Amino acid sequence: MTGLIAFREIVLKVHSRCDLACDHCYVYEHADQSWRGRPKVISPEVVTHTASRLAEHARDHALPSVTVILHGGEPLLAGTARLRLVCEEFTRALAGIAELDLRVHTNGLQLGPRYLDLFAEFGVRVGVSLDGDRAANDRHRRFADGRTSHPLVLAAVALLRSEPYRHLYQGLLCTVDVANDPVAVLDALVELEPPRVDFLLPHATWETPPARPDGAPDAYARWLLRVFDHWERRERPVPVRLFESLLSTLRGGPSLTESLGLAPTDLVVVETDGTLEQVDSLKSAFDGAAATGFNVFDHAFDQVAAHPGVRARQLGLAGVSDSCRRCPVVRSCGGGLYTHRYRADNGFDNPSVYCADLRELVDGVQARTAPRESAPQLADPAALARSQEELTRVLLARLHEDLAGHAGWERAWELLAEVEERAGAGREEAAAAVDAVVDHPFTRTWVLAALDAVRERRSGGADREDPAREAARRLAALTASAVLRGGLELPAEVAYRDGEVYLPTLGLLRLGAPGTDGRAALRATGEGYAVRDGRAEHRFGPGAGDSRWLPVRTWPPGPPDAAPGAPGAPGTPAPPVALEDLDPYRNCFARPPRLRLGAGEAEEWRTRLDRAWALLHETVPEFARAARAGLTTLTPLAGGPRSAVWGEAGRHGPGALGVPYAAGVRETALALLTGRRRARLRALTEVADLYALDGAWQHPSPWRERPVPVSRLLADVHERVAVEAYRRATAAAEPGGADRIHRALDRLAGAAELTSTGKRLVEELRWELKGVGA
């Protein structure tokens, strides 16, 4: 059945009664009372059929692992013999099909050595329900005669924490009651050193709302935020899944709990009689809410997956109410637990009954953690540069994994490793040489193209030259460049093609007539470089005056008043910017690059760049300094300026920029400014999550006829803030330009897609706009 969710987790009800009388229990105290008509203990037949159904499901869906949670009532009341049968049957059925993760959730009253020895034998991890200190726990978790259960639970947890059982300890589950002291509750739980703590909101619906002693709509949020603050003060002594889920989604990651987020549920419940049901919490909504009409004897799990009630919880964003879709925190709260949305007149098409709490909780955690949870690359250009350098190395290592074993690749890789080894041994010239060639922007372009070519070749794509041979040529040239730049006494052999080889960051070396291929050995000399092709050796490089050598030209760095700590800062001269019109991988912009500039053309372009740079520093100095930070390479592009496109960032590292060669001084200044803004945003999106679920919403844009995804709106605003500053400074501002930017920023501020880092970027843009008086 294509398109159906695969169940990766089943809750197996091994016993349907309990030895406690908790007044907040959804099984016995809420709307659904189906437990009364079910057997107390699961039968061997139900166990065997369920194990067989799960194995069939795991095999059909190629699941690497499945989780089975032994539940109740109180599962330990089933006894060790029946629990052993469960463990044996599931272990046997899943052997060779999927890894089995067995767990049990218990109130702990029966937990003793005979159970723990059994669980240790089968690797069953144990979670225990405990609501905090004695006062908190006694509020609900009592025996039917009113006696406390707290001392017995503590004794059980103490045994679970001891050797040889400690490795089975999964964590503690605490149901929130706002009448309890949140600080005392957390302290009591932390004292038991759980591997994890889960806080659960008590099950409630719009028909049976949660208790709110002070009548406030945000009582649960305020309680949980007090727990969060204490958890932070104690330096997060144990993982708390609720908080970690919020922190994950605020960073753009997945939800970590069914209670929050938009991830589809992948759980099915098996009752003691073999009945297959939906998630257990639905018993709080109405009698029969969890029913599917299926059972393990007659129906496969795929049939349950096709049930409308199950499918409704697979819809993600499309499955929440309209008001939730418009809420900026929906990615984190997910509309709340499905059960908590129920209202008799329209079912589950509502916000959670805890809506106000969830909004305040998400906003509260966001406000408390934004500076720490936001990506450091946003505020620190050096951190952004380091992240980009690391990303290129990660991609290069991935390419090596794909091409390991290819002779030409291995030779070049071993030489690069030797250069790296010298760099690691304190040879500064070697370290600088490796950094220069690996961090060359078009190295990233080449690696990405090579990875694509390898994937295309493996998938049976179009017939083309072996990508390994092509990649090996480039790696050999890159490694040779590192050897030459570092002045290292190492052999560096390159393969030339069509009579020439490009040495990244250095230049183009012509070694033969067009159409000829071959190999040549390169070495560093005291004054430059030398190449041996066959028996002949000749010098090239600085001062050699060899017409067969076309060096990469450079442009002087930015002015001396660059931002502190940035390249070009006082006392920290910026390296020259490469005017790259040779690298074959520079063809990664929206427009084609110019061919090699003649000497006169290069000087003319340098003059225009100088004047454009001076204009930027005269009109928008702060933006100009930011644009200079990290700029390493400029590529001349064909054609003149276009109304909607100025400077361009292509598929490369963040240090490169494409600028129209034929643009005038004012247009060139704008190209430098807008291109660097684009490059910076692109670099940020490559190493930090600014948004998630891009495209799930469409936003009106002041500059476009149709609504756009958040990525496009953010990119437009990020660029236009700088453009507005430039136009205001040059008396060319468009009427209403600032108003349009403010409208877009307001829209972004309420966008559910933005992460903590994305929201901080929007605030940064507001400050930039305010700084130019707009």
Side-chain angles (χ1 to χ4, degrees):
M1 291 189 180
T2 59
L4 296 181
I5 189 74
F7 293 119
R8 290 171 170 80
E9 185 174 301
I10 71 167
V11 172
L12 186 67
K13 298 296 191 76
V14 296
H15 201 281
S16 66
R17 304 296 188 272
C18 191
D19 45 3
L20 284 180
C22 306
D23 58 15
H24 59 10
C25 180
Y26 64 87
V27 175
Y28 304 111
E29 302 297 329
H30 288 195
D32 190 308
Q33 293 292 299
S34 57
W35 63 274
R36 297 180 183 276
R38 292 203 168 101
K40 290 183 179 180
V41 185
I42 194 169
S43 69
E45 292 76 17
V46 171
V47 172
T48 301
H49 275 81
T50 304
S52 177
R53 291 293 188 191
L54 181 60
E56 173 188 61
H57 191 68
R59 183 180 59 250
D60 290 348
H61 291 273
L63 299 180
S65 65
V66 290
T67 299
V68 177
I69 304 173
L70 310 183
H71 213 281
E74 170 48 49
L76 300 192
L77 292 177
T80 54
R82 190 56 48 91
L83 293 178
R84 173 174 290 276
L85 174 66
V86 170
C87 295
E88 289 175 343
E89 283 295 300
F90 278 88
T91 299
R92 177 195 56 77
L94 273 299
I97 296 176
E99 183 179 347
L100 176 61
D101 178 9
L102 280 168
R103 305 179 187 182
V104 63
H105 192 84
T106 174
N107 61 29
L109 300 185
Q110 307 292 325
L111 192 63
R114 65 192 183 105
Y115 284 103
L116 288 172
D117 288 340
L118 171 66
F119 295 156
E121 180 180 348
F122 289 94
V124 183
R125 292 187 291 166
V126 183
V128 180
S129 293
L130 182 68
D131 288 349
D133 59 350
R134 179 163 181 166
N137 204 66
D138 284 355
R139 197 177 298 277
H140 301 286
R141 296 189 181 279
R142 298 186 301 272
F143 288 98
D145 61 5
R147 287 181 296 122
T148 179
S149 64
H150 193 254
L152 293 174
V153 181
L154 290 189
V157 174
L159 180 62
L160 181 58
R161 291 169 59 196
S162 67
E163 294 297 337
Y165 308 122
R166 172 76 193 186
H167 67 289
L168 302 176
Y169 191 13
Q170 184 184 3
L172 300 174
L173 185 147
C174 173
T175 300
V176 173
D177 188 321
V178 293
N180 294 328
D181 181 342
V183 171
V185 166
L186 181 65
D187 285 341
L189 298 175
V190 169
E191 186 178 347
L192 301 179
E193 299 178 318
R196 188 182 69 195
V197 169
D198 280 338
F199 284 105
L200 295 184
L201 294 170
H203 289 315
T205 70
W206 289 102
E207 301 303 315
T208 55
R212 297 186 182 276
D214 61 0
D218 60 351
Y220 290 87
R222 287 186 284 112
W223 193 93
L224 285 167
L225 286 172
R226 286 185 63 192
V227 175
F228 183 85
D229 291 338
H230 191 51
W231 184 61
E232 290 273 85
R233 285 193 297 270
R234 293 196 60 173
E235 298 180 340
R236 305 183 181 182
V238 298
V240 176
R241 185 158 63 167
L242 175 69
F243 299 151
E244 293 191 330
S245 180
L246 291 176
L247 293 172
S248 172
T249 53
L250 288 170
R251 288 191 297 261
S255 169
L256 306 178
T257 171
E258 179 197 2
S259 302
L260 300 171
L262 296 166
T265 182
D266 57 1
L267 177 150
V268 64
V269 178
V270 182
E271 291 286 353
T272 55
D273 61 356
T275 298
L276 291 165
E277 293 199 334
Q278 302 175 59
V279 63
D280 225 23
S281 63
L282 283 170
K283 295 179 185 297
S284 298
F286 58 89
D287 192 15
T292 66
F294 301 126
N295 63 74
V296 296
F297 298 103
D298 304 314
H299 306 99
F301 283 157
D302 272 352
Q303 291 175 273
V304 185
H307 187 275
V310 176
R311 296 297 293 269
R313 289 179 290 117
Q314 317 304 320
L315 299 176
L317 186 63
V320 301
S321 67
D322 184 61
S323 59
C324 287
R325 280 183 59 86
R326 297 194 303 269
C327 178
V329 304
V330 66
R331 249 192 340 98
S332 290
C333 84
L337 190 70
Y338 190 74
T339 299
H340 298 169
R341 308 173 197 173
Y342 178 71
R343 193 190 297 269
D345 59 356
N346 66 341
F348 298 94
D349 189 22
N350 305 287
S352 169
V353 71
Y354 291 103
C355 179
D357 294 290
L358 294 173
R359 176 66 189 267
E360 184 166 331
L361 177 62
V362 176
D363 286 342
V365 171
Q366 158 78 24
R368 287 162 167 79
T369 62
R372 287 178 288 119
E373 294 295 328
S374 298
Q377 295 91 341
L378 181 63
D380 185 356
L384 179 59
R386 288 192 299 270
S387 296
Q388 284 292 329
E389 293 162 7
E390 181 180 349
L391 177 57
T392 298
R393 283 162 171 75
V394 167
L395 292 170
L396 186 58
R398 186 178 301 170
L399 182 60
H400 176 60
E401 291 176 3
D402 286 346
L403 299 182
H406 183 276
W409 176 271
E410 289 289 355
R411 283 195 302 270
W413 187 264
E414 289 171 6
L415 179 58
L416 181 62
E418 188 171 351
V419 179
E420 289 268 25
E421 184 178 340
R422 296 198 180 192
R427 293 282 299 274
E428 292 185 6
E429 68 279 11
V434 171
D435 288 345
V437 296
V438 175
D439 299 335
H440 175 48
F442 301 129
T443 294
R444 173 87 63 84
T445 310
W446 156 64
V447 172
L448 291 171
L451 287 168
D452 285 346
V454 170
R455 281 193 292 267
E456 182 181 353
R457 178 91 167 197
R458 287 179 176 171
S459 63
D463 188 22
R464 55 171 293 171
E465 180 183 3
D466 180 5
R469 189 183 312 149
E470 188 175 338
R473 277 198 296 265
R474 176 73 180 203
L475 182 65
L478 184 145
T479 305
S481 294
V483 170
L484 298 180
R485 291 182 69 102
L488 304 177
E489 296 178 359
L490 290 172
E493 189 177 74
V494 295
Y496 59 88
R497 185 181 183 189
D498 201 23
E500 59 189 31
V501 60
Y502 173 76
L503 301 174
T505 76
L506 293 178
L508 185 74
L509 182 61
R510 291 173 174 157
L511 293 169
T516 60
D517 296 350
R519 306 190 68 84
L522 306 179
R523 67 181 181 89
T525 67
E527 299 77 26
Y529 320 126
V531 56
R532 177 176 291 277
D533 183 13
R535 295 183 178 181
E537 179 177 282
H538 67 267
R539 303 293 178 94
F540 69 98
D546 190 338
S547 62
R548 291 174 294 182
W549 171 241
L550 301 178
V552 172
R553 301 183 180 102
T554 60
W555 172 49
D561 60 339
T572 312
V577 174
L579 301 184
E580 183 57 83
D581 56 1
L582 292 169
D583 194 320
Y585 284 93
R586 74 190 188 281
N587 189 16
C588 58
F589 301 97
R591 306 189 209 190
R594 281 277 303 233
L595 298 178
R596 173 73 167 179
L597 299 179
E601 290 177 315
E603 276 308 307
E604 183 181 348
W605 198 40
R606 284 192 183 105
T607 300
R608 281 201 302 274
L609 288 171
D610 286 339
R611 293 173 61 190
W613 204 247
L615 177 60
L616 287 178
H617 276 271
E618 177 186 338
T619 54
V620 285
E622 293 296 328
F623 286 94
R625 284 191 285 266
R628 177 62 187 95
L631 177 62
T632 64
T633 306
L634 283 174
T635 291
L637 303 180
R642 296 186 302 195
S643 60
V645 178
W646 298 295
E648 297 181 8
R651 195 181 185 206
H652 50 60
L657 183 64
V659 176
Y661 168 77
V665 172
R666 294 174 70 88
E667 291 81 8
T668 298
L670 193 57
L672 291 168
L673 183 61
T674 57
R676 289 302 294 154
R677 295 287 283 193
R678 292 180 181 189
R680 184 236 184 176
L681 185 60
R682 182 185 181 92
L684 280 171
T685 59
E686 288 174 338
V687 298
D689 290 316
L690 302 180
Y691 39 77
L693 297 182
D694 186 34
W697 289 265
Q698 295 291 308
H699 302 276
S701 168
W703 306 284
R704 300 176 187 271
E705 292 183 2
R706 296 181 179 179
V708 296
V710 74
S711 57
R712 180 70 267 166
L713 186 61
L714 182 61
D716 285 344
V717 174
H718 188 267
E719 180 177 298
R720 287 175 185 275
V721 167
V723 173
E724 180 69 16
Y726 176 76
R727 285 177 170 166
R728 282 175 173 257
T730 56
E734 296 179 349
D739 290 339
R740 286 191 286 273
I741 296 174
H742 280 298
R743 290 203 306 274
L745 287 171
D746 289 343
R747 183 71 187 187
L748 286 169
E753 304 97 310
L754 291 189
T755 64
S756 293
T757 303
K759 290 176 182 177
R760 289 200 71 192
L761 176 58
V762 170
E763 291 306 307
E764 174 190 289
L765 295 174
R766 285 194 189 278
W767 278 106
E768 284 186 336
L769 195 59
K770 184 178 180 180
V772 299

